[in-house]
């Protein structure tokens, strides 16, 4: 039983090795997305704008709006990077899986 499991693990790792570089980029990018979303997707950011507007501090309102806009752009940028590399890893994994299945079928 242990030799079968080792063989299965070796087969899985053989399929996974080509996608590790893409995952090494996608995972930190997704972590950056989550971190930035926890900052810029909060209602408190918008309440700062309302409070500054109520006090009549128009310059501060503009800076808060710029801050939120740039934060959303950063989230979008890292989401795009993560999506591209995850899609690439998925397509490469599926291609390797299909190729492996076809090779196994042809060897029978």
């Amino acid at each position: 039983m242990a030799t079968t499991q080792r063989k299965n693990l070796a087969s899985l790792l053989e399929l996974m090795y080509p996608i590790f570089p893409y995952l090494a980029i996608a995972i930190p990018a997704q972590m950056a997305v989550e971190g930035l979303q926890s900052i810029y997707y909060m209602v408190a950011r918008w309440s700062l704008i309302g409070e500054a507007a109520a006090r009549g501090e128009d310059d501060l309102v503009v800076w808060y709006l710029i801050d939120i806009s740039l934060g959303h752009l950063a989230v979008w940028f890292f989401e795009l990077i993560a999506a591209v590399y995850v899609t690439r890893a998925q397509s490469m994994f599926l291609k390797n899986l299909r190729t492996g299945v076809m090779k196994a079928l042809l060897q029978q």
Side-chain angles (χ1 to χ4, degrees):
M1 184 71 176
T3 57
T4 306
Q5 287 180 346
R6 274 191 233 112
K7 183 179 176 185
N8 290 342
L9 181 61
S11 298
L12 178 63
L13 287 176
E14 185 179 326
L15 290 171
M16 295 285 290
Y17 278 135
I19 67 170
F20 283 149
Y22 298 109
L23 293 178
I25 295 171
I27 291 171
Q30 188 61 39
M31 291 169 66
V33 166
E34 298 298 327
L36 289 170
Q37 283 178 345
S38 71
I39 295 169
Y40 289 103
Y41 286 6
M42 291 182 358
V43 176
R45 288 278 183 176
W46 291 99
S47 67
L48 290 174
I49 296 169
E51 291 168 4
R55 289 190 306 264
E57 298 173 348
D58 293 336
D59 293 339
L60 193 56
V61 169
V62 170
W63 283 113
Y64 283 149
L65 287 172
I66 290 171
D67 177 48
I68 287 177
S69 300
L70 292 177
H72 279 75
L73 283 176
V75 168
W76 174 77
F77 175 74
F78 284 109
E79 280 179 341
L80 183 65
I81 290 174
V84 166
Y85 282 99
V86 164
T87 303
R88 178 70 176 151
Q90 287 174 341
S91 64
M92 183 177 284
F93 180 77
L94 290 175
K95 179 186 75 82
N96 291 342
L97 187 63
R98 285 187 212 110
T99 303
V101 168
M102 288 304 291
K103 283 181 183 177
L105 287 174
L106 293 174
Q107 288 177 356
Q108 288 182 353

